[in-house]
Coordinates of all heavy atoms in Angstrom, one line a residue:
N1 N -1.4 308.1 91.1 CA -0.7 306.9 91.5 C 0.1 306.2 90.3 O 0.1 305.0 90.2 CB -1.6 305.9 92.0 CG -2.3 306.4 93.4 OD1 -1.8 307.3 94.0 ND2 -3.3 305.7 93.7
T2 N 0.8 307.0 89.4 CA 1.3 306.5 88.2 C 2.7 307.1 88.0 O 3.0 308.2 88.3 CB 0.5 307.0 87.0 OG1 -0.8 306.4 87.1 CG2 1.1 306.4 85.7
V3 N 3.6 306.2 87.6 CA 4.9 306.5 87.3 C 5.1 306.4 85.8 O 4.7 305.5 85.2 CB 5.9 305.7 88.1 CG1 7.4 305.9 87.6 CG2 5.8 305.9 89.6
Y4 N 5.9 307.3 85.2 CA 6.1 307.3 83.8 C 7.6 307.3 83.5 O 8.4 307.6 84.3 CB 5.6 308.6 83.1 CG 4.2 308.9 83.5 CD1 3.8 309.7 84.5 CD2 3.1 308.3 82.7 CE1 2.5 310.0 84.7 CE2 1.8 308.6 82.9 CZ 1.5 309.4 84.0 OH 0.1 309.7 84.3
M5 N 7.9 306.7 82.4 CA 9.4 306.8 81.8 C 9.2 307.3 80.5 O 8.8 306.5 79.5 CB 10.0 305.6 82.0 CG 11.5 305.6 81.7 SD 12.5 304.3 82.3 CE 11.9 303.0 81.3
Q6 N 9.6 308.4 80.2 CA 9.7 309.0 78.8 C 11.1 308.4 78.2 O 12.1 308.7 78.8 CB 9.7 310.5 78.8 CG 9.9 311.1 77.5 CD 8.7 310.9 76.6 OE1 7.7 310.7 77.0 NE2 9.0 310.7 75.3
M7 N 11.0 307.9 77.2 CA 12.2 307.3 76.5 C 12.4 307.9 75.1 O 11.6 307.7 74.2 CB 12.1 305.7 76.3 CG 11.7 305.1 77.6 SD 11.8 303.3 77.5 CE 10.5 302.8 76.3
D8 N 13.5 308.7 75.0 CA 13.7 309.5 73.8 C 15.1 308.9 73.1 O 15.9 308.2 73.8 CB 13.9 310.9 74.1 CG 12.7 311.5 74.6 OD1 11.6 311.3 74.0 OD2 12.7 312.4 75.5
N9 N 15.2 309.2 71.9 CA 16.4 308.7 71.1 C 16.6 307.2 71.3 O 17.7 306.8 71.7 CB 17.6 309.5 71.5 CG 18.7 309.2 70.6 OD1 18.6 308.7 69.3 ND2 20.0 309.5 71.0
L10 N 15.5 306.5 71.2 CA 15.6 305.0 71.4 C 16.6 304.5 70.4 O 16.6 304.8 69.2 CB 14.3 304.3 71.4 CG 13.4 304.5 72.6 CD1 11.9 304.4 72.4 CD2 13.9 303.6 73.8
Q11 N 17.3 303.3 70.8 CA 18.3 302.7 70.0 C 17.8 301.2 70.0 O 17.3 300.7 71.0 CB 19.6 302.9 70.4 CG 20.0 304.5 70.4 CD 20.0 305.0 69.1 OE1 20.5 304.3 68.1 NE2 19.4 306.2 68.9
P12 N 18.3 300.5 69.0 CA 18.1 299.0 69.0 C 18.5 298.2 70.3 O 17.9 297.3 70.7 CB 18.9 298.5 67.8 CG 19.0 299.6 66.9 CD 19.1 300.9 67.7
E13 N 19.5 298.8 71.0 CA 20.0 298.1 72.2 C 19.0 298.4 73.3 O 19.1 297.7 74.4 CB 21.4 298.6 72.6 CG 21.6 300.0 72.8 CD 22.1 300.6 71.3 OE1 21.8 300.1 70.3 OE2 22.8 301.6 71.4
D14 N 18.0 299.2 73.1 CA 17.0 299.4 74.2 C 15.9 298.4 74.1 O 15.0 298.3 74.9 CB 16.4 300.8 74.0 CG 17.4 301.9 74.3 OD1 18.2 301.8 75.3 OD2 17.5 302.8 73.5
T15 N 15.9 297.6 73.0 CA 15.0 296.4 72.8 C 14.9 295.5 74.0 O 16.0 294.9 74.3 CB 15.2 295.7 71.5 OG1 15.0 296.6 70.5 CG2 14.3 294.5 71.4
A16 N 13.8 295.3 74.6 CA 13.8 294.5 75.8 C 12.2 294.4 76.3 O 11.3 295.2 75.8 CB 14.5 295.1 77.0
V17 N 12.1 293.5 77.2 CA 10.8 293.5 78.0 C 11.0 294.5 79.2 O 12.0 294.3 79.9 CB 10.4 292.1 78.5 CG1 9.1 292.2 79.2 CG2 10.2 291.3 77.2
Y18 N 10.1 295.4 79.3 CA 10.2 296.4 80.4 C 9.2 296.1 81.4 O 8.1 295.8 81.1 CB 10.0 297.8 79.8 CG 11.3 298.4 79.0 CD1 11.5 297.9 77.8 CD2 12.1 299.4 79.6 CE1 12.6 298.4 77.1 CE2 13.1 299.8 78.9 CZ 13.5 299.3 77.6 OH 14.6 299.8 77.0
Y19 N 9.8 296.2 82.7 CA 9.0 295.9 83.8 C 8.9 297.0 84.9 O 10.0 297.7 85.1 CB 9.5 294.7 84.6 CG 9.5 293.3 83.9 CD1 10.7 293.1 83.1 CD2 8.5 292.6 83.9 CE1 10.7 291.8 82.3 CE2 8.5 291.3 83.3 CZ 9.5 290.9 82.5 OH 9.6 289.8 81.7
C20 N 7.9 297.3 85.5 CA 7.8 298.2 86.6 C 7.9 297.3 87.9 O 7.4 296.2 88.0 CB 6.5 298.9 86.5 SG 6.1 300.0 87.8
M21 N 8.6 297.9 88.9 CA 8.8 297.2 90.1 C 8.7 298.1 91.2 O 9.2 299.1 91.2 CB 10.1 296.5 90.1 CG 10.3 295.5 91.3 SD 10.9 296.3 92.8 CE 12.7 296.4 92.5
A22 N 7.9 297.6 92.3 CA 7.7 298.5 93.5 C 8.1 297.7 94.7 O 8.0 296.5 94.8 CB 6.3 298.9 93.7
V23 N 8.7 298.5 95.7 CA 9.1 297.9 96.9 C 8.2 298.6 98.0 O 8.2 299.7 98.1 CB 10.6 298.2 97.2 CG1 11.0 297.7 98.6 CG2 11.5 297.5 96.3
N24 N 7.5 297.7 98.8 CA 6.7 298.2 99.8 C 6.7 297.2 101.0 O 6.5 296.0 100.7 CB 5.2 298.3 99.3 CG 4.4 299.1 100.3 OD1 4.7 300.1 100.8 ND2 3.2 298.5 100.4
T25 N 6.8 297.7 102.1 CA 6.9 296.8 103.3 C 7.8 295.7 103.2 O 7.5 294.5 103.6 CB 5.5 296.3 103.8 OG1 4.9 295.5 102.8 CG2 4.6 297.5 104.0
G26 N 9.0 296.0 102.5 CA 10.0 295.0 102.4 C 9.8 293.9 101.3 O 10.6 293.0 101.0
E27 N 8.7 294.0 100.5 CA 8.4 293.1 99.6 C 8.6 293.8 98.1 O 8.3 294.9 97.9 CB 7.0 292.5 99.6 CG 6.6 291.8 100.9 CD 7.3 290.3 100.9 OE1 7.5 289.9 99.8 OE2 7.6 290.0 102.0
R28 N 8.9 292.9 97.1 CA 9.0 293.5 95.7 C 7.8 293.0 95.0 O 7.3 291.8 95.0 CB 10.2 292.9 95.1 CG 11.6 293.5 95.6 CD 12.7 293.0 94.6 NE 13.9 293.7 95.0 CZ 15.0 293.7 94.3 NH1 15.0 293.0 93.1 NH2 16.1 294.2 94.7
Y29 N 7.3 293.9 94.3 CA 6.1 293.6 93.4 C 6.4 294.0 92.0 O 7.0 295.1 91.7 CB 4.9 294.4 93.9 CG 4.5 294.0 95.3 CD1 5.0 294.7 96.4 CD2 3.7 292.9 95.5 CE1 4.7 294.5 97.6 CE2 3.3 292.7 96.8 CZ 3.9 293.4 97.9 OH 3.6 293.1 99.2
W30 N 6.1 293.1 91.0 CA 6.5 293.3 89.6 C 5.2 293.4 88.7 O 4.1 292.8 89.0 CB 7.2 292.3 89.0 CG 8.6 292.1 89.6 CD1 9.0 291.3 90.8 CD2 9.8 292.7 89.2 NE1 10.3 291.4 91.0 CE2 10.9 292.3 90.0 CE3 10.1 293.5 88.0 CZ2 12.2 292.7 89.9 CZ3 11.4 293.9 87.9 CH2 12.4 293.5 88.8
G31 N 5.3 294.3 87.7 CA 4.1 294.3 86.7 C 4.4 293.2 85.7 O 5.3 292.4 85.9

């Protein structure tokens, strides 16, 4: 039950707060 995101060749412009979001039964859920 896990989603991954492999991030390669990261650059300074990739600096951010990263969130996972799911849509289920019309609702959005955030990590």
Side-chain angles (χ1 to χ4, degrees):
N1 295 342
T2 300
V3 172
Y4 303 97
M5 187 161 70
Q6 177 67 38
M7 306 188 296
D8 296 320
N9 190 23
L10 283 160
Q11 299 300 315
E13 54 266 33
D14 296 314
T15 294
V17 177
Y18 284 72
Y19 297 89
C20 181
M21 190 274 280
V23 176
N24 190 49
T25 62
E27 299 289 329
R28 288 190 174 193
Y29 301 91
W30 292 90

